[in-house]
Amino acid sequence: MAEKIAGVDVLLYVNVGDEATPQYMVLGGQGDATLTREAEEIDVSAKTDEGGYGDSLVGRKRWSLECGGFIVAGDAALDKLEELYDAREKVDVELRYPNGKTYKGSAYITEFSLEFPQDDGSQYSLTLSGASALTITTQP
């Protein structure tokens, strides 16, 4: 029987190293993450389509990842995200299931908010917009 996966066990990792020596660390304080994958729809409808229904093809694909959580002081992954955001450089990320399935890609940080409410913990939210293919691997 297939095993269900709890969302709390799926974690976002950030490459805090460089391209030559990658070092992935979990982004601390995570509360949620949403991976969105989309594809453009290309309308190729013609008068002669069967049954009078239109037709379409799949065009370019794109992905994004939204994540939020509580700020953890000294978190190397959060510090790296701030550094790359300021430099307008890509970040390499991995979204990992506990069973080894991993989504990996490079992205630009297109939104990065920090919140400091009086009656709650300090929080971050960010949007990563894919700048490479999103590869999927499965490891036992």
Side-chain angles (χ1 to χ4, degrees):
M1 176 176 251
E3 183 178 337
K4 294 179 173 80
I5 298 172
V8 70
D9 295 328
V10 180
L11 298 173
L12 178 62
Y13 288 77
V14 174
N15 181 9
V16 298
D18 55 33
E19 211 172 296
T21 54
Q23 179 185 1
Y24 285 85
M25 296 186 73
V26 69
L27 178 59
Q30 289 177 53
D32 59 43
T34 301
L35 174 63
T36 302
R37 296 176 287 176
E38 301 175 300
E40 292 176 358
E41 182 179 9
I42 301 169
D43 185 0
V44 293
S45 299
K47 293 178 185 178
T48 56
D49 287 341
E50 189 174 328
Y53 288 91
D55 196 6
S56 61
L57 298 173
V58 174
R60 292 183 176 261
K61 297 181 289 182
R62 66 181 148 272
W63 63 273
S64 65
L65 196 140
E66 294 182 24
C67 181
F70 290 102
I71 296 172
V72 177
D75 179 36
L78 188 62
D79 291 344
K80 184 67 171 187
L81 288 170
E82 288 196 306
E83 174 190 319
L84 294 171
Y85 174 78
D86 285 341
R88 299 186 316 183
E89 293 179 8
K90 290 185 228 180
V91 58
D92 294 326
V93 294
E94 292 184 352
L95 190 64
R96 297 182 191 168
Y97 287 24
N99 67 358
K101 184 174 186 176
T102 302
Y103 297 86
K104 182 177 183 176
S106 295
Y108 285 106
I109 304 165
T110 55
E111 185 268 332
F112 197 169
S113 298
L114 303 176
E115 299 177 29
F116 309 101
Q118 178 176 328
D119 58 349
D120 203 353
S122 298
Q123 301 171 42
Y124 64 85
S125 64
L126 60 103
T127 301
L128 304 172
S129 296
S132 73
L134 186 65
T135 60
I136 303 170
T137 58
T138 305
Q139 301 169 359

